[in-house]
């Protein structure tokens, strides 16, 4: 009976079949569109979650360093005003970079290098002992982009677990080589073998998480010891 009504309405049974076909096609189109909207929504949530996690990880980068440096600068102001002023400017540049540039998705390698140099200069001021710090840079294009506050984690780790614990003959050797396609960053430092070894701490765990979020399948991180008292970490990035 229903078929007769449809036949009377459409005139021919073929028209009815065409209607059914068009109905199912329109339903399929609607369902596909709904699925696309849902997938986009899920991807947006995932991206927002990733960005939130990255911001949290960035906020964990060396906040105690700034407080310690300010305390050292306070004592230096009366002893060597000119030197104190120079270091205050470096600290100001570091804080600006960390607060503002550090919130960006990408920065130039040149800016990241300047941040590392300021960090090492301020660290040298902190110690009342001889330390050897060497930073060899071989960069083909300093305008390549890199995730901000990435390399500093390894540098901070070398000073915190190496230089700060040793009474004498402390050294940190840093090598940076970069092209438009790759970045190769290596740090070698000595440490006190009596100190606990093997606990990588928050810094390197932070580094690994950030690498997984941004450089998934585009990075190699190697941690080794050439000697019992020498620690080496090497990071290779594909841009």
């Amino acid at each position: 009976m229903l078929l007769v009504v449809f036949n009377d309405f459409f005139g021919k049974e073929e028209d009815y079949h065409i209607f059914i076909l068009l109905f199912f096609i329109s339903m399929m189109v609607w369902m596909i569109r709904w699925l696309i909207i849902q997938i986009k929504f899920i991807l947006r949530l995932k991206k927002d979650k990733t960005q939130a996690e990255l911001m949290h990880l960035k906020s964990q980068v060396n906040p105690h360093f700034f407080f310690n440096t300010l305390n050292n600068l306070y004592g230096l102001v009366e002893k060597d005003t000119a030197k104190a002023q120079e270091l205050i400017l470096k600290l100001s540049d570091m804080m600006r970079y960390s607060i503002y540039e550090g919130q960006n998705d990408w920065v130039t390698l040149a800016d990241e290098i300047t941040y590392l140099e300021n960090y090492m200069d301020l660290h040298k001021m902190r110690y009342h002992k001889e330390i050897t710090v060497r930073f060899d840079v071989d960069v083909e294009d300093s305008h390549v982009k890199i995730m901000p506050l990435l390399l500093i984690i390894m540098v901070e780790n070398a000073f915190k677990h190496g230089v700060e614990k040793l009474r004498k003959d402390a050294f940190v050797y840093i090598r940076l080589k970069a092209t438009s396609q790759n970045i190769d960053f290596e740090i070698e430092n000595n440490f006190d073998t009596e100190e606990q070894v093997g606990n990588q701490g928050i810094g390197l765990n932070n580094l690994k998480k950030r690498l997984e979020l941004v450089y998934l399948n585009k990075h190699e991180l190697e941690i080794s010891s050439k000697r019992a008292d020498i620690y080496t970490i090497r990071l290779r990035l594909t841009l």
Side-chain angles (χ1 to χ4, degrees):
M1 183 65 183
L2 184 60
L3 181 60
V4 173
V5 173
F6 271 101
N7 285 340
D8 290 341
F9 182 79
F10 288 104
K12 294 181 180 180
E13 187 175 346
E14 290 81 2
D15 294 334
Y16 165 73
H17 290 303
I18 292 173
F19 169 78
I20 295 297
L21 178 62
L22 292 175
F23 174 77
F24 277 107
I25 290 174
S26 63
M27 286 297 295
M28 289 296 295
V29 170
W30 182 86
M31 289 181 66
I32 291 172
R33 183 182 178 190
W34 181 84
L35 283 171
I36 291 173
I37 292 173
Q38 296 303 309
I39 290 171
K40 286 183 177 179
F41 177 72
I42 291 171
L43 289 175
R44 185 166 64 250
L45 285 178
K46 185 177 180 180
K47 181 180 179 182
D48 291 343
K49 182 175 182 290
T50 300
Q51 290 297 325
E53 188 171 352
L54 271 175
M55 293 297 290
H56 174 65
L57 289 171
K58 287 178 182 178
S59 69
Q60 296 180 19
V61 176
N62 64 20
H64 66 276
F65 167 75
F66 294 111
F67 294 108
N68 291 339
T69 303
L70 283 171
N71 288 332
N72 288 108
L73 284 171
Y74 179 80
L76 185 64
V77 168
E78 291 185 357
K79 297 178 181 179
D80 190 340
T81 304
K83 183 66 174 179
Q85 290 175 339
E86 176 189 346
L87 294 174
I88 287 171
L89 287 177
K90 289 181 181 293
L91 182 63
S92 175
D93 285 342
M94 285 191 68
M95 295 181 71
R96 175 195 56 78
Y97 183 85
S98 180
I99 294 171
Y100 297 107
E101 303 301 327
Q103 308 309 314
N104 295 332
D105 292 333
W106 306 101
V107 296
T108 65
L109 184 58
D111 288 339
E112 192 78 354
I113 290 172
T114 299
Y115 185 79
L116 297 180
E117 291 173 337
N118 286 339
Y119 177 88
M120 288 183 280
D121 287 343
L122 287 167
H123 246 301
K124 292 175 187 176
M125 172 269 299
R126 290 184 55 198
Y127 303 113
H128 302 287
K129 59 186 177 183
E130 283 293 325
I131 63 173
T132 302
V133 179
R134 191 172 68 208
F135 187 18
D136 297 327
V137 178
D138 180 9
V139 176
E140 181 182 285
D141 182 5
S142 62
H143 292 93
V144 297
K145 299 292 185 178
I146 187 174
M147 181 169 59
L149 304 175
L150 184 69
L151 305 180
I152 187 63
I153 297 174
M154 292 176 284
V155 177
E156 183 181 24
N157 191 68
F159 278 91
K160 181 179 179 180
H161 298 289
V163 173
E164 288 190 9
K165 307 295 183 182
L166 288 166
R167 295 183 178 180
K168 61 178 182 178
D169 300 326
F171 69 81
V172 178
Y173 300 149
I174 305 173
R175 292 176 286 276
L176 172 63
K177 186 173 183 178
T179 66
S180 57
Q181 289 84 32
N182 300 282
I183 292 177
D184 191 345
F185 189 70
E186 183 178 16
I187 299 179
E188 181 180 299
N189 66 274
N190 57 345
F191 62 92
D192 188 347
T193 55
E194 294 182 1
E195 293 291 329
Q196 184 177 359
V197 180
N199 182 14
Q200 296 179 359
I202 295 175
L204 291 184
N205 287 330
N206 181 323
L207 174 64
K208 290 179 179 179
K209 289 178 182 177
R210 293 175 66 192
L211 288 170
E212 289 172 2
L213 286 170
V214 178
Y215 291 100
L216 183 63
N217 300 323
K218 292 185 177 181
H219 74 276
E220 295 178 26
L221 184 65
E222 298 176 0
I223 300 173
S224 61
S225 295
K226 293 182 178 179
R227 285 194 343 228
D229 62 340
I230 296 180
Y231 182 89
T232 303
I233 184 167
R234 186 174 186 181
L235 173 64
R236 298 184 187 90
L237 298 175
T238 301
L239 305 178

